[in-house]
Amino acid sequence: MRKKILITIMGTLLTLSVAGCGNTLNNNELNAQSDYKMTYAKRSLSKPFADMFYGFRLMDKLIAKEDYAAAKTLSRNLDDEFHDAILPSIIAKKSKTFANGIDEKYDELTEAISTKDKSQIHELIVLNRNNLKEIAPMLGVSVLSTE
């Protein structure tokens, strides 16, 4: 009788220990997946930031050549990329008001290009570039690799 009770207790302990390991493995898998998602999210923002910085450098060159049509197209493309990739992350991390304040500067840049105001264009490019440098660390993106 004691042997049966001892075997039952040992079997129960063995079953519980195996079940516990299963939960540990599942938790480790979940942690690995969330780490992957976080890394992917940072990586997915790195390219838009790099595109924005490159776009601002290119825009400076286009304005210097007085190619306002190409600069305006580039500005609109950058604005679209900002809206699609970066703005939602800013809204989630900070607030919609903060994000809209930054977005307004992109709109002002496009308007300045339309009016061909070189000095304002240059100021707004610098301002928008500085805004990106401010936002990047908030979103976990390295600015050094994107400039």
Side-chain angles (χ1 to χ4, degrees), residues 15-82:
T15 303
L16 290 175
S17 67
V18 170
C21 289
N23 287 340
T24 302
L25 290 175
N26 289 338
N27 288 338
N28 288 340
E29 289 173 6
L30 290 174
N31 288 338
Q33 287 176 353
S34 66
D35 288 344
Y36 171 74
K37 288 177 184 175
M38 187 61 133
T39 302
Y40 180 75
K42 286 181 184 176
R43 187 174 53 228
S44 67
L45 283 177
S46 294
K47 181 167 177 6
F49 272 90
D51 290 347
M52 297 295 289
F53 281 114
Y54 175 74
F56 287 136
R57 283 193 305 270
L58 182 58
M59 193 178 299
D60 271 332
K61 291 177 183 177
L62 293 171
I63 296 302
K65 294 178 183 177
E66 297 187 5
D67 189 354
Y68 293 102
K72 188 171 184 176
T73 301
L74 177 60
S75 176
R76 286 183 178 156
N77 290 341
L78 290 177
D79 192 48
D80 289 344
E81 186 162 15
F82 179 79

Side-chain angles (χ1 to χ4, degrees), residues 82-136:
F82 179 79
H83 278 265
D84 293 342
I86 299 172
L87 192 63
S89 297
I90 298 170
I91 292 170
K93 190 73 172 182
K94 293 292 276 180
S95 69
K96 188 168 180 85
T97 305
F98 179 80
N100 286 339
I102 291 172
D103 185 37
E104 286 175 8
K105 297 303 173 187
Y106 286 103
D107 296 337
E108 287 179 27
L109 177 59
T110 303
E111 186 62 34
I113 293 170
S114 295
T115 61
K116 301 178 182 179
D117 185 349
K118 275 188 175 183
S119 63
Q120 188 180 18
I121 292 168
H122 180 69
E123 287 175 21
L124 288 167
I125 287 173
V126 170
L127 179 68
N128 282 306
R129 195 178 285 141
N130 289 338
N131 283 343
L132 285 177
K133 289 177 184 177
E134 178 187 343
I135 296 165

